[in-house]
Amino acid sequence: MMDPSSRPPRKVSIADHIWQAYEDMASQMGSDRDALINQAMFMFARLNGFLDPSGSAAPAPGPRPVPVSNGTPAPRPPQPRGPPPQLQPAPRPPQRAPEPSMDDDPVRREVQERVLETAAELERLIQNKRGGGNNAPAPEPDGDNIDIDDPGSDASGAPALYMMVEGGELDRIAKDRFVIGRGKHCDFVINSGKVSREHAVISREGSDFFIEDLGSSNGTWFNKQRIKRRKVEDGDEYFICSDKVKFVYR
């Protein structure tokens, strides 16, 4: 058996630039040029499966393409084909839960109503301190019973508008903007779940008054017709949902 470490001379055609490269490598590494060439050939044969790690010749795996003499690398053997790797979907960022709206959150709704109520109360206090303004509350008529057929007028000489809920008392519209609704901050509160928080408003324009629906759910009605805005006449009767209110001038 031949000794694996023996290196009998062989005649091999080596390109000049490769030979010179191994000359330089041997000089810089302090090694033998032939040893480097043998080592390179050994590693090439081992990587291609012709030698086992001990240096013995391995069984030939079959014909393999060899590099051509012009230095072009040999084609790689065909790789086994299989199903393409499955790409894992990128993790989705956590989605934030939608914040409840103001109308759906009873706590926020209550806080909002308190803020509006406080703002309305501050407005009343400011108007009372000013005194004599258009929004200052007019003095209430004397006596418990009021004859609604009696003509009357406010400080400017124009008739004053009063509102009366069925079975209730007269309430004077003493503000240029008089809000009717379920909210506690409203100027006239109707405690009914069918009434919107701000349902309708009575507004003064000169000596005239107008009633306007504020986009309520159940509407403001006159003569069985839903209205958006209408001038208030003496004796008019309106329905805020199922609550009837009557307006008279004095």
Side-chain angles (χ1 to χ4, degrees), residues 24-89:
D24 297 339
M25 289 173 59
S27 175
Q28 294 181 17
M29 298 172 63
S31 181
D32 180 62
R33 178 197 59 209
D34 294 346
L36 291 178
I37 294 175
N38 275 272
Q39 184 178 3
M41 295 174 66
F42 173 80
M43 293 301 297
F44 183 79
R46 179 179 173 184
L47 290 175
N48 285 274
F50 287 91
L51 288 176
D52 59 20
S54 65
S56 302
R64 291 174 176 262
V66 297
V68 297
S69 58
N70 60 0
T72 305
R76 298 179 62 184
Q79 299 293 327
R81 295 186 178 181
Q86 299 295 328
L87 298 178
Q88 297 295 330

Side-chain angles (χ1 to χ4, degrees), residues 5-28:
S5 62
S6 64
R7 293 184 296 178
R10 297 286 191 272
K11 186 176 180 181
V12 181
S13 298
I14 300 177
D16 291 340
H17 66 283
I18 298 177
W19 186 265
Q20 185 60 44
Y22 276 92
E23 288 277 5
D24 297 339
M25 289 173 59
S27 175
Q28 294 181 17

Side-chain angles (χ1 to χ4, degrees), residues 95-105 108:
Q95 298 182 355
R96 297 178 58 186
E99 296 184 359
S101 62
M102 188 66 71
D103 294 335
D104 297 335
D105 191 336
R108 292 189 178 186

Side-chain angles (χ1 to χ4, degrees), residues 127-128 130-136:
Q127 291 174 356
N128 290 337
R130 289 176 181 175
N134 292 333
N135 295 333

